[in-house]
Amino acid sequence: MGNLRRVPVGIVGASGYGGVQLVRLLMDHPEVEVVYLGGESSAGKTFADLYPHLGSVVQLNIEAVDPELIASRCEVVFLSLPNGLACDIAPKLIEKGCKVLDLSADYRFSELKTYTTWYGTERSDRTIAKTAVYGLPELYRDRIAETNLIGCPGCYPTASLLALAPLLKQGLIIPETAIIDAKSGTSGGGRQGKINLLLAEADNSLAAYNVARHRHTPEIEQICSDLAGHEVTVQFTPHLIPMVRGILATVYATLRDPGLVRDDLITIYTAFYRNSPWVKICNSGTYPQTKWACGSNSCYIGIEVDPRTRRVIVMSAIDNLIKGQAGQAIQCMNIMMGWDETLGLPKVGFYP
Ligand SMILES: NC(=O)C1=CN([C@@H]2O[C@H](COP(=O)(O)OP(=O)(O)OC[C@H]3O[C@@H](n4cnc5c(N)ncnc54)[C@H](OP(=O)(O)O)[C@@H]3O)[C@@H](O)[C@H]2O)C=CC1
Ligand SMILES: CC(=O)N[C@@H](CCC(=O)OP(=O)(O)O)C(=O)O
């Protein structure tokens, strides 16, 4: 007979896109029970006030954020808040014995200086940041299993790093030639009002933004450097595309060995991700679509080589709110708790 006790879980930032996605996924997770939802402007409302269609399955109120109270009820806490808030809350939860998964950038960087430079604010927590593990299970599964604090990756870094990892880890490319051209749907910008995310602004339009200065650049570079074993810089250009969900990252890099062909790389990627159930390598000549990934925790990777330019071109498609955010955090929780890492996560997308 299975274990009948469910692990009590809390979600801070439950009204936002990451928060509601966590609620939806955790509702069907066989090992957990959501017992706390927290927020700021939504505090005092019922979850059904905010999301009437989920009201019949989640009968909780949104409460004000009180770390003492959260720790008294929850063993696992997801923090899905704007950058700069988790580092005030996480230390108090960790001290009380909770496992914490932060979806913001607060615990992604091994050097606090990098955070301060790119995010423009000083961090209040300068101690436990060192113990946080970067929550990309395909690369850091063993370390995730051993920690109580996860800094979950950004959405663009998830798609970009899964595309680049086998190439860097095995020294197949000249790292500095890597160019990441990525497109995101508007939900990547969160639920709060921003002019560029209005339908009238984003529809019928495709544009780059934060060129040569997006905050995901140092995050991608930190992990690329770790994989390559030396400091690596990459060129990263994000674009806003008129759709709601999904990211496609197309990565270009120069191969060291001009003799490598597409099928060699498909074999290498398949072997690299053989124990990673959420990474799906496309067949030769097939390129991934964001539509396949939307609604699932999967990352679809397609590979091509251009013998004229000696470049490899890797395309990586994810759902930014699932593998790029809430789903990845749940995958990390599964690993931290010693459960199967696929538990409670959707295997296939909504479409067709
Ligand atoms: N959207 C995406 O694709 C991805 C986002 N992320 C990161 O995940 C985090 C959450 O993003 P997202 O869900 O998009 O954001 P949203 O803007 O959709 O939601 C933010 C949430 O934070 C809550 N909040 C804001 N200020 C406070 C506060 N002072 N105290 C308590 N709660 C507060 C809001 O609550 P209320 O409504 O009650 O005010 C809301 O629930 C961010 O750090 C983001 O960068 C990471 C990967 C992908
Ligand atoms: C379309 C869009 O606006 N996307 C967001 C990505 C959000 C995200 O993942 O950022 P964090 O690192 O703060 O978690 C952006 O470019 O800022």
Side-chain angles (χ1 to χ4, degrees), residues 83 103-105 108 119 154-156 184-186 188-189 194 196-197 209-210 214-216 219 238 240:
N83 293 316
L103 277 58
S104 81
R108 292 179 193 159
Y119 286 79
C155 44
Y156 285 122
S184 171
T186 55
K194 291 182 193 160
N196 69 321
L197 302 180
Y209 64 101
N210 289 349
H214 193 279
R215 295 188 295 198
H216 285 170
E219 187 182 330
L240 189 68

Coordinates of all heavy atoms in Angstrom, one line a residue, residues 83 103-105 108 119 154-156 184-186 188-189 194 196-197 209-210 214-216 219 238 240, ligand 2:
N83 N 11.6 39.5 -8.6 CA 13.0 39.4 -8.1 C 13.2 40.3 -6.9 O 12.7 41.4 -6.8 CB 14.0 39.8 -9.3 CG 14.0 38.9 -10.4 OD1 14.0 37.7 -10.2 ND2 13.9 39.4 -11.6
L103 N 11.5 30.6 -7.6 CA 11.4 30.7 -9.1 C 12.0 32.0 -9.6 O 12.1 32.2 -10.9 CB 9.9 30.7 -9.5 CG 9.3 29.2 -9.7 CD1 9.4 28.4 -8.4 CD2 7.9 29.3 -10.1
S104 N 12.4 32.9 -8.8 CA 13.0 34.2 -9.2 C 14.5 34.0 -9.4 O 15.0 33.0 -9.3 CB 12.7 35.3 -8.2 OG 13.6 35.2 -7.1
A105 N 15.1 35.2 -9.7 CA 16.6 35.1 -9.9 C 17.4 35.2 -8.6 O 18.6 35.1 -8.7 CB 17.0 36.3 -10.8
R108 N 19.9 32.2 -8.1 CA 20.5 31.5 -9.3 C 22.0 31.7 -9.4 O 22.7 31.0 -10.1 CB 19.9 32.1 -10.6 CG 18.4 31.8 -10.7 CD 17.9 32.4 -12.0 NE 16.4 32.3 -12.0 CZ 15.6 33.1 -12.7 NH1 16.2 34.0 -13.5 NH2 14.3 33.0 -12.7
Y119 N 21.1 43.0 -11.7 CA 19.8 43.3 -11.2 C 19.7 44.6 -10.5 O 18.6 45.0 -10.1 CB 19.3 42.1 -10.3 CG 18.9 40.9 -11.1 CD1 20.0 40.1 -11.6 CD2 17.6 40.6 -11.5 CE1 19.7 39.0 -12.5 CE2 17.3 39.5 -12.3 CZ 18.3 38.7 -12.8 OH 18.1 37.7 -13.6
G154 N 15.8 30.7 -15.1 CA 14.9 31.5 -15.9 C 14.5 30.7 -17.1 O 15.0 29.6 -17.4
C155 N 13.4 31.2 -17.8 CA 12.9 30.5 -18.9 C 13.8 30.4 -20.1 O 14.0 29.4 -20.7 CB 11.5 31.1 -19.3 SG 11.5 32.9 -19.4
Y156 N 14.4 31.6 -20.5 CA 15.3 31.6 -21.6 C 16.5 30.7 -21.3 O 17.0 29.9 -22.2 CB 15.8 33.0 -21.9 CG 14.8 33.9 -22.6 CD1 14.4 35.1 -22.1 CD2 14.3 33.6 -23.9 CE1 13.6 36.0 -22.7 CE2 13.4 34.4 -24.6 CZ 13.1 35.6 -24.0 OH 12.2 36.5 -24.6
S184 N 10.1 34.5 -27.2 CA 9.2 34.2 -26.1 C 7.8 34.7 -26.3 O 7.6 35.8 -26.8 CB 9.8 34.7 -24.8 OG 8.8 34.6 -23.7
G185 N 6.8 34.0 -25.8 CA 5.5 34.5 -25.7 C 5.3 35.5 -24.6 O 6.2 35.6 -23.7
T186 N 4.2 36.2 -24.6 CA 4.1 37.3 -23.7 C 3.9 36.9 -22.2 O 4.2 37.7 -21.3 CB 2.9 38.2 -24.1 OG1 1.7 37.3 -24.1 CG2 3.1 38.8 -25.4
G188 N 5.8 35.3 -20.5 CA 7.1 35.4 -20.0 C 7.3 36.6 -19.1 O 8.2 36.7 -18.3
G189 N 6.5 37.6 -19.4 CA 6.6 38.9 -18.7 C 5.8 39.0 -17.5 O 5.8 40.0 -16.8
K194 N 2.0 45.6 -18.2 CA 3.2 46.3 -18.9 C 2.8 46.6 -20.3 O 2.1 45.8 -21.0 CB 4.4 45.3 -18.9 CG 5.0 44.9 -17.6 CD 6.2 44.0 -17.8 CE 6.7 43.3 -16.6 NZ 7.4 42.1 -16.8
N196 N 4.3 46.9 -23.2 CA 4.7 46.1 -24.3 C 4.0 44.7 -24.4 O 4.1 44.0 -25.4 CB 6.3 45.9 -24.3 CG 6.7 45.0 -23.1 OD1 6.1 45.1 -22.0 ND2 7.7 44.1 -23.3
L197 N 3.3 44.3 -23.3 CA 2.7 43.0 -23.3 C 1.2 43.2 -23.6 O 0.5 42.1 -23.7 CB 2.8 42.4 -21.9 CG 4.2 42.1 -21.4 CD1 4.2 41.5 -20.0 CD2 5.0 41.3 -22.4
Y209 N 14.4 42.7 -27.8 CA 14.5 43.7 -26.7 C 15.7 43.4 -25.9 O 16.2 42.3 -25.9 CB 13.2 43.7 -25.9 CG 12.9 42.4 -25.2 CD1 13.1 42.3 -23.8 CD2 12.3 41.3 -25.9 CE1 12.8 41.1 -23.2 CE2 12.0 40.1 -25.2 CZ 12.3 40.0 -23.9 OH 12.0 38.8 -23.2
N210 N 16.1 44.4 -25.1 CA 17.2 44.3 -24.2 C 18.4 43.6 -24.9 O 19.1 42.7 -24.3 CB 16.9 43.4 -22.9 CG 16.0 44.2 -22.0 OD1 15.8 45.4 -22.2 ND2 15.4 43.5 -21.0
H214 N 20.4 41.7 -21.8 CA 19.3 41.0 -21.0 C 19.9 40.3 -19.8 O 21.0 39.7 -19.8 CB 18.6 40.0 -21.9 CG 17.3 39.5 -21.3 ND1 17.3 38.5 -20.4 CD2 16.0 39.9 -21.5 CE1 16.0 38.3 -20.0 NE2 15.2 39.1 -20.7
R215 N 19.1 40.3 -18.7 CA 19.6 39.7 -17.4 C 19.8 38.2 -17.4 O 20.4 37.7 -16.5 CB 18.6 40.1 -16.3 CG 18.6 41.6 -16.1 CD 17.8 42.0 -14.9 NE 16.4 41.7 -15.0 CZ 15.5 42.2 -14.2 NH1 15.8 43.1 -13.3 NH2 14.2 41.9 -14.4
H216 N 19.3 37.6 -18.5 CA 19.6 36.1 -18.5 C 20.9 35.8 -19.1 O 21.4 34.7 -19.0 CB 18.5 35.5 -19.4 CG 17.2 35.3 -18.6 ND1 16.0 34.9 -19.1 CD2 16.9 35.6 -17.3 CE1 15.0 34.9 -18.2 NE2 15.6 35.3 -17.1
E219 N 23.4 34.6 -16.4 CA 22.9 33.3 -15.9 C 23.3 32.2 -16.9 O 23.8 31.2 -16.5 CB 21.4 33.4 -15.8 CG 20.8 32.2 -15.1 CD 19.3 32.2 -15.0 OE1 18.7 33.3 -14.9 OE2 18.6 31.2 -15.1
P238 N 17.0 38.2 -27.0 CA 15.6 37.7 -26.8 C 14.6 38.5 -27.7 O 14.9 39.7 -28.0 CB 15.3 38.0 -25.3 CG 16.2 39.2 -25.0 CD 17.4 39.1 -25.9
L240 N 10.3 39.3 -28.3 CA 8.9 39.0 -27.9 C 8.1 38.7 -29.2 O 8.1 39.4 -30.2 CB 8.3 40.3 -27.3 CG 7.0 40.1 -26.6 CD1 7.1 39.2 -25.4 CD2 6.4 41.5 -26.2
Ligands
LIG2 C1 8.7 38.0 -22.5 C2 9.4 38.5 -21.3 O1 9.2 39.6 -20.9 N1 10.2 37.6 -20.6 C3 10.9 37.9 -19.4 C4 11.6 36.7 -18.9 C5 11.1 36.4 -17.5 C6 12.0 35.6 -16.7 O2 12.1 34.4 -16.7 O3 12.8 36.3 -15.9 P1 13.5 36.1 -14.5 O4 14.9 35.9 -14.8 O5 13.3 37.4 -13.9 O6 12.9 35.0 -13.8 C7 12.0 39.0 -19.6 O7 12.6 39.0 -20.7 O8 12.3 39.7 -18.6

